[in-house]
Amino acid sequence: MRTTNPTRRPGLRCMLVSTAACILAAPALAQDGDQAQDVITVTAQQRAQSAQDVPISLQVLDSGFIQSLAADDMGDLDAFVPGLDVSNGSPTQPRYSIRGISTSDFGVGTDPAVGIYVDGIYAARSGASLLAFNDVERIEVLKGPQGTLFGRNSAAGAVSIITRAPSDELEGRLALRIGSHSRVRTEGMINIPITDTLAIRANFLSNKADGWLTDSVTGEDYRRENGSADRLTIRWNATPTTEILLRHSRDNISQDARPAIGIVDLPAYPGTPAAPADPNAYLNPFNAPLRNDVAINRESRDLAETTLTIHQDIGAMTLTSLTSFREFSTMNREDEDGTNRIDTYFDTSNVEDNEAFYQELRLAGTSGPVDWLIGASYYDETAVQASETFTYTDTVNTVLGNLGAGTPFTDLEYGLLVPFGLPYTMLGHSWSENMNNRGEFTARAIYADAIWSVTDRMNLSVGLRYTEDEKSFQWLNGGRQADSLDQTLAALDGAGILGLAGASPADFLFDFVFDLAPLAGVACDNGVFVAENVACIQQDSWSNLSPRVVVDYQLTDNVMVYGSFSEGYKAGGFNSVEVGSRFENETVTSWEFGFKSDFINPDLIFNMSVFSYLYEGKQSVRLVVPAGGGIPQYLVQTSDDEAIGVDFELDWNATEALRLYGNAQWLDSTHKRRVDSNGADLAGEPTGEPNWNLAVGAEYVVNWRERGELTLQANHAYRGESRCNSQSVLQGTCGGYAAFELGEARNRTDLRLRWTAPGDRLSVSAFANNLFDNQYVEGVSNLTADTLGTPFVTISTPRVLGLEIGYDF
């Protein structure tokens, strides 16, 4: 970690320990006061309920909290939601984790373990799941399997984002946020009631910023941002019993791709770094020069979605229809070597085009003591992906030399072409290899859920969802593309020069990234065998029953206890870069016991839950070096994990002016069955997740009456040290080096001071995110460490200072 204020950290720790101790001790304190907490309504059980009445461990983030953190997307919030982890370094390929359960695969052949829903619509591909926050009402983070109510691919939990619907009042908002690194974020909203039954709501935002990393050679900035989003919503009360919501939204980004900070010294040309790289010689990435030369450093996404929601009352029942059509494209091309040398140049690009259709019908009602709902859903998706690599013959020559396969390009260059003055060169030719995938995915489900009021204090909830998944997946590798090299080889061959060296053009027709030779003989479902220039198609189907059973009991008017059993399901799939591969379902079985308490005097909410789960068939994509050495490959490895944990939540209005709140999670996650790529048995070893995650905060309000209101907010997040095993060290996500640490404990403190004018129309805020400028190494990429000797890292965002002005009317 790097901090620019090391002398202040001990005091900060003491302050945080004291604050946390006060907060966690709060349930035992008695305070005067009679102002009750506002009731938070959620739809975690597909019904409108008070959050305190829902027997699920969940955390609700309202628009005020989102604004207090100056958050742009979910990646800016996860530190303050213990148990949730969102890696948003690449917004087109984010990874979500809840309670240590995540999906590491970046290809379209698999699905995430955390379901992301926007206004009830499933956002399948990761490229469509990290959206800009514009006019968001609240976010519900549901922890633990949500397979019955939310369906497939919610095995770890679900994140439900609810945007604001049109209201019956004329209202609007304009906001401007400026901050460090020339950040400018503008936002606007207008809500217009057209008639008594028709209203529209439109909003937009634009977000731009300069980079905070500078290339030491070119002086160019990296980490520049450029994004925009807008949404138009029409609400029509067609009849007194019919409500129709039509939404159309767009979300676009065009920014720098993730830069690569090289952590090895570069010898003078033509010398190359030692391969494999020596971890003892790694540089401190906070002092290492940034040298990226990727030809097109770019990450972009264009997303458009239209949704139609219809609520129809039928007597005592309500029929809900959700219809959605989404299409998006993404492109992400980034440096993979952290150097600016042609003989160590390597970049990768991920290009996706996706179309998805979703339809759900849900009927809900109440029959005597039973609150019930039944439903059915249909999902259809077409996903096209190209995994592209680009380099030069100079780099191919370096790799071959490091692997002990000779240096054919420089041998010909300096042993034959240069000495004889021949007008040809074997160096400087572009070399690309591509893996092209296409997936056709269909999912159907039916489900039912009922809450039975057994007594006036006890409820029994029972639910079951049946899901069928069908998938067809295609791989096509057309072989390496090196047109100028092939022209040179043809000319040299025609002149008899290659023959003098005992070579032919065929000797250079090899793949060194997507080498399919080890897969020769693998049969595909379309009657062919894996080979270059042959489309291999695999087809499969899976089904699952996801149950849930919950008992909750109202011990007193203020305290509810509950116990639950639930299962979650993630469909099987395919590794997009491992031709002919397939893997089976993943399932999560979870038990949870907890209580929720809500008191008026003192005004206090305190919730706690104890949980355990078994995660079976977990599919992880890992970077594996073939036996005997060679180009690392992304391969699927299977394991079973298990965990126990505790969640805490506290919200205490200590006085009319002071509010204290906190959330925490303790987790012990280990492998029940796992063998790493080196053959080591990891059973009983930690999965890499820390024991503790903690978020605490305070809000103090000063009422100046005719001069308005002043609010001071302070939030602090702590993530404990990662618990390493041999695999996490191998993958570069955990462990220590002489120059830096991976997986060290993290701290982040945010402050916000807001003045609101009388009438609540005008507000001015000053904020500091990551106040103490703590930065951390995100992980070591070993993609090119063994072949080029060029490992690299990324680092977390530095401190951001800013000012925001908002006007509501």
Side-chain angles (χ1 to χ4, degrees):
M1 180 199 74
R2 185 195 72 175
T3 175
T4 56
N5 297 276
T7 59
R8 301 188 63 178
R9 289 175 62 202
L12 171 64
R13 289 196 184 105
C14 294
M15 178 188 74
L16 293 172
V17 169
S18 300
T19 303
C22 292
I23 289 177
L24 294 178
L29 302 178
Q31 298 289 329
D32 293 332
D34 55 5
Q35 182 179 0
Q37 298 263 14
D38 292 335
V39 175
I40 299 175
T41 301
V42 297
T43 53
Q45 297 193 116
Q46 307 290 18
R47 307 160 172 91
Q49 297 172 284
S50 165
Q52 288 300 103
D53 293 335
V54 177
I56 295 175
S57 181
L58 77 158
Q59 186 170 342
V60 182
L61 312 173
D62 63 16
S63 59
F65 186 74
I66 296 171
Q67 187 176 11
S68 72
L69 297 176
D72 293 321
D73 57 44
M74 282 300 303
D76 298 325
L77 293 177
D78 65 326
F80 300 95
V81 185
L84 173 68
D85 186 40
V86 182
S87 63
N88 67 333
S90 172
T92 64
Q93 295 176 290
R95 294 179 176 88
Y96 287 80
S97 171
I98 292 180
R99 288 179 172 173
I101 299 175
S102 64
T103 296
S104 59
D105 198 347
F106 48 79
V108 298
T110 189
D111 298 295
V114 177
I116 311 299
Y117 298 83
V118 180
D119 294 319
I121 305 297
Y122 176 54
R125 291 286 145 237
S126 60
S129 64
L130 193 69
L131 305 180
F133 289 152
N134 58 323
D135 209 21
V136 171
E137 178 179 318
R138 69 181 185 278
I139 300 169
E140 301 173 15
V141 180
L142 285 62
K143 302 176 183 180
Q146 306 297 322
T148 300
L149 291 172
F150 284 84
R152 60 198 277 276
N153 307 332
S154 298
V159 176
S160 179
I161 301 172
I162 294 92
T163 65
R164 296 188 185 276
S167 67
D168 293 326
E169 297 182 1
L170 177 64
E171 58 179 321
R173 175 174 173 79
L174 293 172
L176 171 66
R177 182 189 301 165
I178 57 176
S180 304
H181 319 299
S182 302
R183 178 174 298 279
V184 178
R185 185 182 192 271
T186 56
E187 183 178 1
M189 182 276 295
I190 184 71
N191 185 98
I192 305 174
I194 305 299
T195 68
D196 292 341
T197 60
L198 183 66
I200 63 172
R201 190 180 187 95
N203 59 76
F204 75 92
L205 69 82
S206 172
N207 190 23
K208 297 181 179 181
D210 290 342
W212 48 269
L213 283 171
T214 303
D215 192 290
S216 62
V217 177
T218 66
E220 185 175 5
D221 286 339
Y222 291 109
R223 286 298 193 187
R224 293 165 293 193
E225 299 178 32
N226 186 3
S228 64
D230 57 72
R231 183 185 307 108
L232 174 66
T233 306
I234 302 173
R235 192 206 73 212
W236 178 35
N237 296 107
T239 74
T241 60
T242 307
E243 181 188 67
I244 299 175
L245 286 169
L246 179 65
R247 294 182 176 93
H248 180 74
S249 58
R250 298 186 309 113
D251 191 295
N252 303 307
I253 59 173
S254 180
Q255 61 184 49
D256 293 332
R258 176 270 302 144
I261 302 174
I263 52 174
V264 294
D265 279 319
L266 287 180
Y269 186 84
T272 57
D278 180 8
N280 294 316
Y282 285 174
L283 305 175
N284 183 338
F286 296 105
N287 301 324
L290 175 63
R291 293 173 290 206
N292 281 192
D293 57 354
V294 61
I296 304 175
N297 183 301
R298 181 168 172 257
E299 183 167 19
S300 64
R301 177 185 63 207
D302 293 299
L303 182 148
E305 181 176 22
T306 301
T307 65
L308 177 66
T309 304
I310 301 174
H311 299 289
Q312 176 66 57
D313 292 336
I314 307 172
M317 300 181 296
T318 300
L319 177 65
T320 299
S321 172
L322 299 173
T323 308
S324 167
F325 179 74
R326 175 192 294 119
E327 56 183 352
F328 71 89
S329 60
T330 68
M331 184 270 191
N332 181 16
R333 186 173 184 178
E334 55 195 19
D335 192 286
E336 299 287 4
D337 59 271
T339 74
N340 63 339
R341 295 258 298 266
I342 194 172
D343 56 343
T344 54
Y345 181 98
F346 188 67
D347 76 52
T348 63
S349 177
N350 180 73
V351 180
E352 293 183 36
D353 285 290
N354 182 288
E355 292 184 354
F357 172 79
Y358 181 77
Q359 175 64 56
E360 181 175 358
L361 292 173
R362 185 188 309 146
L363 185 65
T366 302
S367 300
V370 179
D371 182 345
W372 56 268
L373 63 86
I374 59 173
S377 65
Y378 174 80
Y379 178 77
D380 184 81
E381 177 186 7
T382 298
V384 178
Q385 179 181 35
S387 299
E388 304 172 346
T389 65
F390 183 86
T391 187
Y392 293 94
T393 51
D394 311 60
T395 301
V396 177
N397 193 77
T398 301
V399 171
L400 294 174
N402 289 337
L403 294 177
T407 53
F409 294 95
T410 52
D411 289 348
L412 284 170
E413 182 80 8
Y414 299 112
L416 188 62
L417 303 183
V418 172
F420 290 96
L422 298 175
Y424 302 101
T425 180
M426 295 296 291
L427 301 176
H429 299 288
S430 63
W431 179 297
S432 63
E433 299 179 28
N434 303 329
M435 181 68 72
N436 297 290
N437 304 119
R438 180 182 178 88
E440 302 282 348
F441 313 129
T442 301
R444 295 173 289 271
I446 56 173
Y447 62 93
D449 189 82
I451 303 175
W452 174 31
S453 298
V454 181
T455 71
D456 59 350
R457 288 189 174 272
M458 185 174 78
N459 295 318
L460 172 64
S461 302
V462 179
L464 186 67
R465 179 184 290 254
Y466 174 74
T467 306
E468 290 182 347
D469 275 280
E470 295 180 359
K471 294 187 177 183
S472 173
F473 198 73
Q474 174 182 288
W475 297 263
L476 177 60
N477 175 24
R480 67 106 174 106
Q481 298 293 315
D483 293 342
S484 63
L485 172 64
D486 290 338
Q487 293 170 7
T488 299
L489 290 171
L492 292 174
D493 189 51
I497 298 174
L498 276 184
L500 294 176
S504 72
D507 295 329
F508 298 87
L509 291 174
F510 58 86
D511 285 4
F512 82 107
V513 177
F514 296 122
D515 181 12
L516 302 187
L519 299 173
V522 174
C524 306
D525 291 342
N526 57 330
V528 301
F529 294 92
V530 174
E532 284 190 357
N533 294 301
V534 175
C536 174
I537 299 176
Q538 301 282 42
Q539 296 175 318
D540 215 330
S541 62
W542 300 269
S543 62
N544 175 263
L545 279 172
S546 297
R548 82 163 186 146
V549 180
V550 186
V551 177
D552 65 83
Y553 186 80
Q554 200 75 34
L555 281 178
T556 70
D557 291 343
N558 308 107
V559 180
M560 177 189 74
V561 295
Y562 67 91
S564 70
F565 167 81
S566 61
E567 287 189 357
Y569 153 70
K570 175 185 162 184
F574 313 91
N575 179 0
S576 61
V577 294
E578 186 180 355
V579 183
S581 65
R582 73 178 86 203
F583 48 84
E584 297 303 319
N585 294 345
E586 300 177 22
T587 59
V588 178
T589 303
S590 176
W591 294 86
E592 184 168 330
F593 302 91
F595 70 84
K596 294 192 172 186
S597 59
D598 188 352
F599 301 94
I600 296 178
N601 190 9
D603 191 355
L604 172 70
I605 289 176
F606 181 62
N607 303 327
M608 186 177 75
S609 65
V610 180
F611 62 87
S612 67
Y613 66 73
L614 175 61
Y615 187 5
E616 295 182 286
K618 177 182 179 181
Q619 309 295 328
S620 302
V621 170
R622 292 290 182 257
L623 195 64
V624 177
V625 178
I631 304 297
Q633 302 290 325
Y634 283 106
L635 302 178
V636 172
Q637 298 178 336
T638 304
S639 67
D640 296 337
D641 296 347
E642 57 186 357
I644 58 173
V646 185
D647 280 323
F648 304 91
E649 180 184 7
L650 175 79
D651 198 333
W652 179 32
N653 284 334
T655 69
E656 289 188 1
L658 176 64
R659 176 186 170 215
L660 302 174
Y661 46 90
N663 289 269
Q665 178 185 271
W666 178 84
L667 180 71
D668 181 17
S669 175
T670 59
H671 293 300
K672 184 177 181 179
R673 178 185 61 85
R674 178 68 184 272
V675 177
D676 74 7
S677 57
N678 290 327
D681 187 354
L682 300 183
E685 293 293 314
T687 63
E689 294 297 315
N691 281 136
W692 280 102
N693 284 276
L694 172 71
V696 295
E699 178 181 284
Y700 190 78
V701 180
V702 178
N703 190 338
W704 285 352
R705 297 183 182 178
E706 69 276 3
R707 290 180 294 173
E709 186 176 85
L710 192 67
T711 303
L712 174 64
Q713 291 175 294
N715 294 287
H716 182 80
Y718 167 81
R719 177 180 171 87
E721 183 179 5
S722 298
R723 302 168 64 211
C724 301
N725 60 50
S726 60
Q727 182 70 19
S728 58
V729 173
L730 181 67
Q731 296 300 320
T733 59
C734 199
Y737 304 94
F740 59 91
E741 289 285 330
L742 286 177
E744 62 181 316
R746 298 188 175 201
N747 288 281
R748 171 179 161 178
T749 304
D750 287 11
L751 291 181
R752 188 180 188 90
L753 181 65
R754 182 179 72 251
W755 171 75
T756 305
D760 296 333
R761 291 187 179 274
L762 176 66
S763 64
V764 180
S765 303
F767 63 87
N769 290 349
N770 189 17
L771 176 66
F772 298 101
D773 202 23
N774 294 328
Q775 287 186 269
Y776 303 91
V777 179
E778 300 284 8
V780 175
S781 174
N782 291 316
L783 182 62
T784 57
D786 290 333
T787 53
L788 291 172
T790 54
F792 62 89
V793 305
T794 56
I795 58 178
S796 61
T797 306
R799 174 176 52 223
V800 175
L801 305 177
L803 181 71
E804 184 169 352
I805 302 174
Y807 183 74
D808 296 271
F809 57 91

